[in-house]
mmCIF file of all heavy atoms in Angstrom:
data_model
loop_
_atom_site.group_PDB
_atom_site.id
_atom_site.type_symbol
_atom_site.label_atom_id
_atom_site.label_comp_id
_atom_site.label_asym_id
_atom_site.label_seq_id
_atom_site.Cartn_x
_atom_site.Cartn_y
_atom_site.Cartn_z
ATOM 1 N N LEU N 4 55.935 63.921 77.680
ATOM 2 C CA LEU N 4 57.226 64.402 78.190
ATOM 3 C C LEU N 4 58.215 63.260 78.019
ATOM 4 O O LEU N 4 57.909 62.102 78.359
ATOM 5 C CB LEU N 4 57.106 64.780 79.670
ATOM 6 C CG LEU N 4 56.491 66.140 79.972
ATOM 7 C CD1 LEU N 4 56.163 66.259 81.458
ATOM 8 C CD2 LEU N 4 57.425 67.289 79.555
ATOM 9 N N LEU N 26 43.869 80.321 93.004
ATOM 10 C CA LEU N 26 42.505 79.946 92.590
ATOM 11 C C LEU N 26 41.447 80.549 93.521
ATOM 12 O O LEU N 26 40.531 81.218 93.046
ATOM 13 C CB LEU N 26 42.377 78.425 92.460
ATOM 14 C CG LEU N 26 43.289 77.808 91.382
ATOM 15 C CD1 LEU N 26 43.152 76.289 91.363
ATOM 16 C CD2 LEU N 26 42.988 78.385 90.004
ATOM 17 N N PRO N 27 41.561 80.353 94.864
ATOM 18 C CA PRO N 27 40.548 81.016 95.714
ATOM 19 C C PRO N 27 40.615 82.538 95.647
ATOM 20 O O PRO N 27 39.575 83.208 95.743
ATOM 21 C CB PRO N 27 40.867 80.502 97.125
ATOM 22 C CG PRO N 27 42.182 79.840 97.056
ATOM 23 C CD PRO N 27 42.408 79.427 95.627
ATOM 24 N N GLU N 69 52.848 87.848 84.844
ATOM 25 C CA GLU N 69 52.345 87.097 86.004
ATOM 26 C C GLU N 69 51.348 87.918 86.824
ATOM 27 O O GLU N 69 51.058 87.578 87.969
ATOM 28 C CB GLU N 69 53.526 86.651 86.876
ATOM 29 C CG GLU N 69 54.391 85.615 86.168
ATOM 30 C CD GLU N 69 55.476 85.018 87.040
ATOM 31 O OE1 GLU N 69 55.722 85.532 88.145
ATOM 32 O OE2 GLU N 69 56.098 84.040 86.599
ATOM 33 N N VAL N 72 44.709 91.253 86.307
ATOM 34 C CA VAL N 72 43.908 92.381 86.780
ATOM 35 C C VAL N 72 42.436 92.037 86.530
ATOM 36 O O VAL N 72 42.038 91.776 85.391
ATOM 37 C CB VAL N 72 44.302 93.677 86.033
ATOM 38 C CG1 VAL N 72 43.483 94.864 86.539
ATOM 39 C CG2 VAL N 72 45.801 93.954 86.185
ATOM 40 N N SER N 75 35.841 93.750 88.656
ATOM 41 C CA SER N 75 34.557 93.081 88.951
ATOM 42 C C SER N 75 33.441 94.090 89.179
ATOM 43 O O SER N 75 32.405 93.745 89.744
ATOM 44 C CB SER N 75 34.683 92.211 90.205
ATOM 45 O OG SER N 75 35.884 91.539 90.255
ATOM 46 N N ARG N 92 38.086 71.325 89.768
ATOM 47 C CA ARG N 92 37.353 70.964 90.967
ATOM 48 C C ARG N 92 37.169 72.161 91.914
ATOM 49 O O ARG N 92 36.120 72.347 92.517
ATOM 50 C CB ARG N 92 38.138 69.812 91.608
ATOM 51 C CG ARG N 92 38.079 69.688 93.053
ATOM 52 C CD ARG N 92 36.953 68.783 93.492
ATOM 53 N NE ARG N 92 36.550 69.202 94.808
ATOM 54 C CZ ARG N 92 35.548 68.711 95.487
ATOM 55 N NH1 ARG N 92 34.831 67.754 94.965
ATOM 56 N NH2 ARG N 92 35.256 69.149 96.672
ATOM 57 N N SER N 93 38.186 73.020 92.005
ATOM 58 C CA SER N 93 38.103 74.092 93.007
ATOM 59 C C SER N 93 37.175 75.229 92.582
ATOM 60 O O SER N 93 37.053 76.224 93.289
ATOM 61 C CB SER N 93 39.486 74.625 93.358
ATOM 62 O OG SER N 93 40.171 74.944 92.196
ATOM 63 N N LEU N 101 30.030 84.307 95.018
ATOM 64 C CA LEU N 101 28.769 84.738 94.383
ATOM 65 C C LEU N 101 27.729 85.062 95.452
ATOM 66 O O LEU N 101 27.012 86.070 95.365
ATOM 67 C CB LEU N 101 28.228 83.628 93.466
ATOM 68 C CG LEU N 101 28.992 83.373 92.166
ATOM 69 C CD1 LEU N 101 28.464 82.117 91.469
ATOM 70 C CD2 LEU N 101 28.887 84.573 91.226
ATOM 71 N N GLY N 108 23.482 82.203 93.830
ATOM 72 C CA GLY N 108 24.537 81.485 93.120
ATOM 73 C C GLY N 108 24.007 80.180 92.568
ATOM 74 O O GLY N 108 23.294 79.455 93.268
ATOM 75 N N GLY N 114 31.536 67.196 91.663
ATOM 76 C CA GLY N 114 31.682 65.743 91.531
ATOM 77 C C GLY N 114 33.023 65.240 92.021
ATOM 78 O O GLY N 114 33.853 66.020 92.488
ATOM 79 N N ILE N 118 41.592 61.961 92.478
ATOM 80 C CA ILE N 118 42.205 61.635 93.768
ATOM 81 C C ILE N 118 41.189 61.216 94.828
ATOM 82 O O ILE N 118 41.566 60.825 95.919
ATOM 83 C CB ILE N 118 43.097 62.786 94.295
ATOM 84 C CG1 ILE N 118 42.296 64.061 94.521
ATOM 85 C CG2 ILE N 118 44.279 63.027 93.379
ATOM 86 C CD1 ILE N 118 43.077 65.132 95.284
ATOM 87 N N ILE N 143 22.848 70.243 89.743
ATOM 88 C CA ILE N 143 22.929 71.711 89.793
ATOM 89 C C ILE N 143 22.598 72.164 91.215
ATOM 90 O O ILE N 143 21.632 71.715 91.827
ATOM 91 C CB ILE N 143 21.937 72.362 88.792
ATOM 92 C CG1 ILE N 143 22.236 71.897 87.353
ATOM 93 C CG2 ILE N 143 21.964 73.890 88.900
ATOM 94 C CD1 ILE N 143 23.598 72.284 86.818
ATOM 95 N N SER N 158 31.296 74.960 113.220
ATOM 96 C CA SER N 158 32.419 74.099 113.563
ATOM 97 C C SER N 158 32.551 73.031 112.482
ATOM 98 O O SER N 158 31.588 72.339 112.170
ATOM 99 C CB SER N 158 32.159 73.461 114.933
ATOM 100 O OG SER N 158 33.231 72.626 115.245
ATOM 101 N N ASN N 169 35.387 78.774 101.377
ATOM 102 C CA ASN N 169 34.037 79.110 100.915
ATOM 103 C C ASN N 169 33.256 79.842 102.011
ATOM 104 O O ASN N 169 32.534 80.809 101.737
ATOM 105 C CB ASN N 169 33.315 77.816 100.519
ATOM 106 C CG ASN N 169 32.792 77.889 99.094
ATOM 107 O OD1 ASN N 169 32.640 78.971 98.536
ATOM 108 N ND2 ASN N 169 32.511 76.742 98.513
ATOM 109 N N GLU N 178 25.362 89.239 107.416
ATOM 110 C CA GLU N 178 25.033 90.194 108.474
ATOM 111 C C GLU N 178 25.612 89.629 109.771
ATOM 112 O O GLU N 178 25.356 88.480 110.110
ATOM 113 C CB GLU N 178 23.499 90.279 108.545
ATOM 114 C CG GLU N 178 22.908 91.517 109.175
ATOM 115 C CD GLU N 178 23.354 92.804 108.500
ATOM 116 O OE1 GLU N 178 23.144 92.944 107.269
ATOM 117 O OE2 GLU N 178 23.917 93.650 109.222
ATOM 118 N N VAL N 182 32.063 82.768 113.100
ATOM 119 C CA VAL N 182 33.252 82.200 113.732
ATOM 120 C C VAL N 182 33.381 80.756 113.240
ATOM 121 O O VAL N 182 32.455 79.963 113.405
ATOM 122 C CB VAL N 182 33.160 82.229 115.275
ATOM 123 C CG1 VAL N 182 34.418 81.642 115.897
ATOM 124 C CG2 VAL N 182 32.926 83.651 115.770
ATOM 125 N N ASP N 197 44.411 87.615 103.805
ATOM 126 C CA ASP N 197 45.232 88.830 103.653
ATOM 127 C C ASP N 197 44.735 89.650 102.461
ATOM 128 O O ASP N 197 44.626 90.876 102.535
ATOM 129 C CB ASP N 197 46.709 88.468 103.437
ATOM 130 C CG ASP N 197 47.374 87.988 104.726
ATOM 131 O OD1 ASP N 197 46.769 88.175 105.807
ATOM 132 O OD2 ASP N 197 48.489 87.420 104.653
ATOM 133 N N THR N 213 40.776 78.996 114.623
ATOM 134 C CA THR N 213 39.528 79.758 114.762
ATOM 135 C C THR N 213 39.629 81.026 113.926
ATOM 136 O O THR N 213 40.528 81.836 114.120
ATOM 137 C CB THR N 213 39.275 80.125 116.240
ATOM 138 O OG1 THR N 213 39.330 78.918 117.001
ATOM 139 C CG2 THR N 213 37.924 80.788 116.428
ATOM 140 N N SER N 228 50.029 90.099 96.215
ATOM 141 C CA SER N 228 50.965 89.183 95.562
ATOM 142 C C SER N 228 50.798 87.782 96.161
ATOM 143 O O SER N 228 50.798 87.616 97.386
ATOM 144 C CB SER N 228 52.386 89.702 95.781
ATOM 145 O OG SER N 228 53.260 89.015 94.943
ATOM 146 N N ILE N 264 60.554 69.335 105.563
ATOM 147 C CA ILE N 264 62.026 69.332 105.658
ATOM 148 C C ILE N 264 62.540 68.177 106.531
ATOM 149 O O ILE N 264 63.473 67.472 106.120
ATOM 150 C CB ILE N 264 62.527 70.727 106.128
ATOM 151 C CG1 ILE N 264 62.359 71.711 104.962
ATOM 152 C CG2 ILE N 264 63.975 70.677 106.615
ATOM 153 C CD1 ILE N 264 62.594 73.167 105.300
ATOM 154 N N ARG N 291 66.039 55.308 103.910
ATOM 155 C CA ARG N 291 64.599 55.051 103.995
ATOM 156 C C ARG N 291 63.915 56.153 104.823
ATOM 157 O O ARG N 291 64.557 56.855 105.611
ATOM 158 C CB ARG N 291 64.361 53.717 104.667
ATOM 159 C CG ARG N 291 64.749 53.744 106.139
ATOM 160 C CD ARG N 291 64.120 52.601 106.822
ATOM 161 N NE ARG N 291 64.484 52.549 108.222
ATOM 162 C CZ ARG N 291 63.890 51.747 109.070
ATOM 163 N NH1 ARG N 291 62.945 50.937 108.668
ATOM 164 N NH2 ARG N 291 64.235 51.737 110.322
ATOM 165 N N LEU N 310 55.751 62.604 96.019
ATOM 166 C CA LEU N 310 57.190 62.891 95.878
ATOM 167 C C LEU N 310 58.002 62.066 96.871
ATOM 168 O O LEU N 310 59.053 61.513 96.543
ATOM 169 C CB LEU N 310 57.450 64.384 96.125
ATOM 170 C CG LEU N 310 56.731 65.335 95.167
ATOM 171 C CD1 LEU N 310 56.710 66.735 95.734
ATOM 172 C CD2 LEU N 310 57.406 65.304 93.795
ATOM 173 N N ASN N 366 57.530 53.587 79.763
ATOM 174 C CA ASN N 366 56.416 54.392 79.248
ATOM 175 C C ASN N 366 55.324 54.388 80.298
ATOM 176 O O ASN N 366 54.806 53.316 80.645
ATOM 177 C CB ASN N 366 55.870 53.803 77.946
ATOM 178 C CG ASN N 366 56.889 53.914 76.834
ATOM 179 O OD1 ASN N 366 57.876 54.648 76.960
ATOM 180 N ND2 ASN N 366 56.673 53.188 75.754
ATOM 181 N N ILE N 404 57.149 72.800 83.141
ATOM 182 C CA ILE N 404 57.957 71.923 84.005
ATOM 183 C C ILE N 404 59.257 71.522 83.297
ATOM 184 O O ILE N 404 60.324 71.474 83.933
ATOM 185 C CB ILE N 404 57.128 70.696 84.462
ATOM 186 C CG1 ILE N 404 57.871 69.911 85.542
ATOM 187 C CG2 ILE N 404 56.734 69.772 83.316
ATOM 188 C CD1 ILE N 404 57.012 68.908 86.296
#
Side-chain angles (χ1 to χ4, degrees):
L4 280 168
L26 297 177
E69 293 187 349
V72 181
S75 320
R92 150 91 207 176
S93 51
L101 289 172
I118 61 169
I143 301 297
S158 179
N169 235 340
E178 202 57 57
V182 181
D197 286 347
T213 306
S228 192
I264 287 171
R291 68 162 178 169
L310 300 163
N366 293 346
I404 190 165

